[in-house]
Amino acid sequence: MPTLLLVRHGRSTANTEGLLAGWTPGVALDERGAAQAAALPGRLAALPLSEVVVSPLQRCQETVRPLLDARPGLTAHTDDRIGECHYGDWTGRKLVELKDEPLMEVVQAHPSAAAFPGGESMRAMQTRAAEAVREWNARVERDHGADAVYLMCSHGDIIKSLVAEALGLHLDLFQRISVDPCSVTAIRYTRLRPYLMRLGDTGDFAALAPREETPSDDAPVGGGAGAP
């Protein structure tokens, strides 16, 4: 079966403003995010990509645009199932305000039980994304062969949930996974099991440097902004 490259969108204006963007329209890449997207074609130059599947949200569409411009024969397919989690009433709110919400403790420690008010549950988010991957795996293998490589551009929580599923981890453990903006995660699927080949690879270790502020023990909902 094919190898899937999961690319998180580049850094967005919502990331730098500390907002939980969700499906808010008009959330674009910031200057750094645009530079990350511009570097993506070079990072993937050695790979013969067969398909590109992308979330409908603007920040993902902008992330793949330089790659599509560099490879005119490559077509992007928009798939709502790999769009961001529907955060409902939390959409557009500042993350610093949400940390004191009782639901945030559930999101952090027991996400399989978390359902956002007016939105969807994290279980539903993972299920729809995993179904999309299974269907695209079959389609890509049918059209391009078992050794094909294809790319999905999606969002932090979506990618983390797909990694957890590939590793056979319960959704309650997915907050232990981190994927920075414009990072590449590679999963090779086989008949019997998936293999995680890369996780959150940006080629940049700046995000690991100590920071002046005390780091939080909580996972960044939505994925975080990466290195400062």
Side-chain angles (χ1 to χ4, degrees), residues 11-226:
R11 196 174 74 175
S12 72
T13 54
N15 292 145
T16 49
E17 293 170 8
L19 299 176
L20 190 61
W23 283 69
T24 304
V27 176
L29 299 182
D30 68 6
E31 186 176 353
R32 179 172 183 159
Q36 291 170 333
L40 191 61
R43 293 169 61 198
L44 302 179
L47 296 176
L49 298 177
S50 58
E51 302 280 0
V52 170
V53 187
V54 59
S55 158
L57 296 172
Q58 180 177 335
R59 53 197 182 274
C60 287
Q61 298 280 335
E62 290 180 354
T63 298
V64 300
R65 192 168 298 147
L67 179 64
L68 297 174
D69 289 344
R71 302 196 190 195
L74 202 55
T75 302
H77 308 271
T78 297
D79 193 325
D80 287 359
R81 294 173 297 176
I82 62 167
E84 181 63 282
C85 185
H86 292 275
Y87 295 116
D89 296 345
W90 280 25
T91 301
R93 292 182 61 187
K94 285 189 172 293
L95 290 166
V96 293
E97 298 172 357
L98 293 170
K99 67 181 179 64
D100 294 326
E101 294 276 356
L103 178 60
M104 182 61 85
E105 186 177 9
V106 182
V107 169
Q108 292 294 325
H110 191 20
S112 66
F116 295 98
E120 70 178 333
S121 69
M122 302 199 91
R123 289 194 320 275
M125 173 199 74
Q126 183 187 45
T127 297
R128 63 173 163 86
E131 287 177 350
V133 168
R134 283 191 286 272
E135 289 183 18
W136 278 102
N137 280 348
R139 177 172 171 176
V140 169
E141 182 174 10
R142 181 197 67 204
D143 295 345
H144 303 283
D147 294 327
V149 179
Y150 75 107
L151 181 148
M152 280 186 171
C153 184
S154 187
H155 307 266
D157 283 348
I158 295 285
I159 294 172
K160 288 163 55 178
S161 74
L162 290 171
V163 171
E165 195 213 32
L167 292 176
L169 296 177
H170 197 282
L171 184 61
D172 286 345
L173 301 178
F174 101 123
Q175 296 290 27
R176 302 183 183 192
I177 299 165
S178 179
V179 289
D180 279 347
C182 222
S183 64
V184 178
T185 293
I187 302 173
R188 181 167 64 86
Y189 289 87
T190 74
R191 185 174 62 88
L192 297 180
R193 64 183 65 85
Y195 292 89
L196 181 64
M197 312 300 290
R198 298 286 189 278
L199 175 61
D201 189 341
T202 62
D204 177 5
F205 292 97
L208 303 180
R211 305 202 183 175
E212 291 183 6
E213 70 274 14
T214 302
S216 171
D217 290 337
D218 288 341
V221 181

